[in-house]
Structure formats: structure tokens, C-alpha cells
Amino acid sequence: MKKEIGIVAYKCKKCGKLHYPFHDRCLACKHREFETVRPQGKAKLLTWTRIYNLPWGFDQRYLTIGVVEFENGVKAMGQIQADESYDLKIGQMLEPAWETVRVQYGENVYGLSLHV
Ligand SMILES: [Zn+2]
């Protein structure tokens, strides 16, 4: 069974602006009331980078990190599952999943994983 994406964004009840992560007051209109919104649909790649100098504890050689926008407007950062030879393009659609992105001290760490 697929896990639900464990990200909750906050939509301003006054102006509709989406916030993730949470802000005390709306960045657009300063309102203080929000409703929670889950990311929906596929994820469009907005920008990405590859990190080679990983901290101790990682057993892979590099990570590919991207910022995506879901079909309902929620933006989030996640780990892209693409190797070095894959030609990532800004604007391409990725398949989001909530799954183990690394193992730390023997425990699975769940996070946003993006498949090409
Ligand atoms: Zn607002």
C-alpha cells in the first residue's frame, strides 16, 4: 500500500496563499487562520541540485534534491531518484512517494521521494 505524502501545507483562510512550512501569520496578508492542505497529484520540478559532499552517516555517493510544485500548488523539497546519467529538466513531472529516503542509526527515515 502506498503511504500518504506526509506533508501538510497551510492555506490562508483569508487570501488563499499556501504556506509550507507553517508560518505564524500569512506572508501575503498577515492573517492568522489557516486550513491544512495535503499535496495532491504529480509534482512538477521547479529546481534541483546534486550534493556530493554528504555528511557522515550517508552510504550513497551523492543526493539529488529538488523543489517541486504539486498539482494543487503545494511546494516542497524532496529527494529525486535519478542517477547521474539522467538528464533532469526543469518543468518535468515527477511521481511523488512517501518512502524511506535514508537509514539513520538503523531506523528508516521517511521523506518525500520523487521518481522520474
Ligand atoms: Zn493571507
Side-chain angles (χ1 to χ4, degrees), residues 29-46:
C29 75
K30 310 286 187 209
H31 195 67
R32 289 180 182 273
E33 284 177 58
F34 300 89
E35 58 177 313
T36 57
V37 179
R38 292 271 184 176
Q40 270 161 26
K42 290 199 173 195
K44 185 169 79 177
L45 185 60
L46 300 181

Side-chain angles (χ1 to χ4, degrees), residues 45-54 62-68 77-84 88-90 94 114:
L45 185 60
L46 300 181
T47 186
W48 65 277
T49 190
R50 194 163 277 146
I51 304 163
Y52 287 92
N53 296 307
L54 297 176
Y62 59 85
L63 285 179
T64 308
I65 301 292
V67 176
V68 293
M77 195 165 75
Q79 197 167 307
I80 301 170
Q81 310 304 328
D83 66 28
E84 282 170 302
L88 279 167
K89 289 194 169 58
I90 302 300
L94 302 170
L114 300 155

Side-chain angles (χ1 to χ4, degrees), residues 87-106:
D87 187 19
L88 279 167
K89 289 194 169 58
I90 302 300
Q92 84 174 79
M93 300 307 284
L94 302 170
E95 188 67 49
W98 192 255
E99 59 193 16
T100 304
V101 289
R102 67 192 158 98
V103 177
Q104 191 169 42
Y105 307 115

Side-chain angles (χ1 to χ4, degrees), residues 12-17 19 26-31 33-34:
C12 175
K13 283 188 174 176
K14 195 173 168 194
C15 76
K17 183 177 172 62
H19 301 74
C26 175
L27 295 176
C29 75
K30 310 286 187 209
H31 195 67
E33 284 177 58
F34 300 89

